[in-house]
Amino acid sequence: ELSAYATITPHSIELLDKFFQHTATPDEKDELDEWLHESPANDQLFELLLESDNWQAKSEIITMLRNLVSQMDTGIFPV
């Protein structure tokens, strides 16, 4: 069964942003991989971002995630 929650933190958002800007270091890519394996929902979110060929759409989603996390204490919310 797919977990209903992605564990989104400021750090995971930064890793996603760097990955899609092609500026992530090898260590950051390893951290992103670890985050992807923490929850099936994390992987699902990543796959949804990968499906978009539009960088502007990805950037807007990452900005939206940053705004949501900054407003939440837990950094965990349904996807």
Side-chain angles (χ1 to χ4, degrees):
E1 178 178 310
L2 182 64
S3 173
Y5 298 93
T7 53
I8 300 174
T9 64
H11 185 64
S12 63
I13 294 168
E14 186 68 23
L15 293 173
L16 288 167
D17 192 25
K18 287 183 173 190
F19 177 85
F20 288 113
Q21 289 188 51
H22 306 287
T23 60
T25 66
D27 286 343
E28 289 168 331
K29 289 178 183 178
D30 289 344
E31 286 182 63
L32 180 60
D33 192 52
E34 289 175 20
W35 176 79
L36 292 172
H37 288 92
E38 286 177 8
S39 165
N42 292 353
D43 189 56
Q44 182 182 28
L45 175 62
F46 183 75
E47 291 297 324
L48 289 171
L49 288 168
L50 278 177
E51 288 177 8
S52 174
D53 292 332
N54 182 334
W55 165 244
Q56 184 175 351
K58 288 178 189 173
S59 179
E60 289 172 4
I61 291 169
I62 289 170
T63 298
M64 179 195 68
L65 291 172
R66 278 193 178 109
N67 291 338
L68 286 171
V69 169
S70 72
Q71 296 174 15
M72 300 192 64
D73 293 333
T74 63
I76 301 173
F77 49 89
V79 290

